[in-house]
Amino acid sequence: MLQRGLRRWLGLPPRRFAVVEEPAAVPLADGVRLATTLLRPSDGGRHPTLLLRTPYGARAFPPLLRMLGRLLAESGYNVALQDVRGRYASEGRFAPFENEAADGADTLSWIAKQPWFAGRVGLFGLSYLGYAAWAALGRSPVPIDALVVGIGSRDLYATFYTAGVFGLATSLEWAVGVGRRESLPARRLDLARGLQHRPLIEADRVTHHRSDAFQDWLAHPTRDAYWNGLLPPLPERMPPTLLLAGWYDFFLAPQLADHAASTRAGADVRLVIGPWRHGQAASREGRRRDARFAGVLLSETLSFCDRVLRDEPPALRGAAVRAFVPGEGWQA
């Protein structure tokens, strides 16, 4: 009943299938197993597959991810929600960003061997999940047929160093708040103290605990071999790509650069820019903006995936770039 009401509210088509949820442990090349939740159409048939890899807990993640996964499965997609290495129920040690290319590639190899795999696969992600999608794309052992990235980028240097200036608040809050195996609630962080502390090299410890990632970011203030090693290469054949960006999101500039690079690589790219910022909103108006983002995200993603993974006419038509202009609304 809730899902039907949500579909009507978002203007989405009726569901096609009930959803079966089952756990899986995906084995990697080095023997580590990654906890994965499979959401599949109840008919047991072979359907296109979407992979979403998260450090925030496939079961603990804010409802948007599971809501999206269930709506996609109801629409006829196999959806794999996976905890990345060393996070929540997955084995191994978490090293932010470092293992997403290899682990994503191993997971795609596993997916391609499953009896429910129909031969078409897409990568989806928001924020860190978006980077994980880009990373898997660059190393994928199987052809990728669709890429959807919202408020995220493949370029970590441009994300943490805006125009060469270190984004202290964003970097510190994420590096410490992500924790070691599970994310920490904001009430356990003394972020204000950490932001004011000098020298910066001690800010993570003052906020809550030392973060190897934060220390690495501080130690590399220019685009060097460290950052280039974390920049996923574009494949020779870029899949159709959907990028969803926010005017007030710190990922906007690098995401526009991703759009330009994908276009130069010959990709069929759709870009949507809305009046959104990163993270969960604290104000009532912010929550309304987040709800609008969820609606656009779900509508655009379903329409895009139906077009490129199911060869169906798109429910949403328009220009390759669509943006929300304050005072005027959506413009193409």
Side-chain angles (χ1 to χ4, degrees), residues 46-296:
R46 300 168 72 239
H47 298 277
T49 299
L50 287 165
L51 172 62
L52 298 83
R53 307 187 62 250
T54 176
Y56 306 119
R59 293 184 174 275
F61 197 87
L64 179 59
L65 180 65
R66 293 185 66 79
M67 177 176 66
L68 175 64
R70 186 160 289 275
L71 287 171
L72 287 167
E74 289 178 348
S75 298
Y77 296 93
N78 296 316
V79 180
L81 307 179
Q82 184 177 80
D83 291 336
V84 302
R85 177 187 295 257
R87 297 294 290 176
Y88 289 82
S90 284
E91 298 174 353
R93 176 183 174 275
F94 179 57
F97 307 107
E98 293 182 10
N99 297 299
E100 307 316 341
D103 292 355
D106 285 352
T107 300
L108 288 166
S109 292
W110 179 85
I111 286 174
K113 299 172 184 175
Q114 302 310 303
W116 39 260
F117 180 60
R120 289 188 174 183
V121 62
L123 299 168
F124 173 86
L126 300 173
S127 192
Y128 188 107
L129 289 75
Y131 175 84
W134 278 113
L137 174 69
R139 288 273 295 274
S140 177
V142 299
I144 299 299
D145 301 289
L147 174 69
V148 180
V149 175
I151 54 174
S153 174
R154 57 191 277 267
D155 190 344
L156 296 179
Y157 177 75
T159 298
F160 292 117
Y161 281 88
T162 304
V165 178
F166 187 54
L168 176 60
T170 298
S171 304
L172 180 62
E173 183 176 15
W174 189 88
V176 179
V178 74
R180 293 186 171 88
R181 176 161 289 275
E182 298 186 3
S183 298
L184 302 174
R187 65 179 181 274
R188 293 183 57 185
L189 307 179
D190 195 345
L191 186 61
R193 184 181 175 212
L195 293 174
Q196 296 171 10
H197 186 82
R198 297 297 182 272
L200 285 183
I201 199 170
E202 298 176 352
D204 51 349
R205 177 185 57 78
V206 169
T207 300
H208 188 273
H209 66 262
R210 189 181 187 280
S211 164
D212 291 340
F214 183 76
Q215 296 294 321
D216 286 341
W217 303 339
L218 280 177
H220 296 274
T222 60
R223 189 185 291 276
D224 57 13
Y226 169 79
W227 296 107
N228 290 335
L230 293 173
L231 181 65
L234 297 180
E236 292 185 6
R237 185 190 71 84
M238 276 290 295
T241 299
L242 171 63
L243 302 176
L244 299 117
W247 286 123
Y248 313 110
D249 181 57
F250 59 83
F251 276 112
L252 177 62
Q255 197 161 16
L256 292 177
D258 291 338
H259 174 265
S262 300
T263 301
R264 289 193 299 270
D268 170 12
V269 187
R270 180 175 175 84
L271 173 65
V272 179
I273 311 177
W276 309 304
R277 67 176 181 84
H278 209 83
Q280 293 180 316
S283 67
R284 179 177 299 178
E285 175 56 28
R287 287 192 291 271
R288 283 197 290 267
R289 283 196 300 269
D290 280 2
R292 288 195 291 270
F293 171 64
V296 173

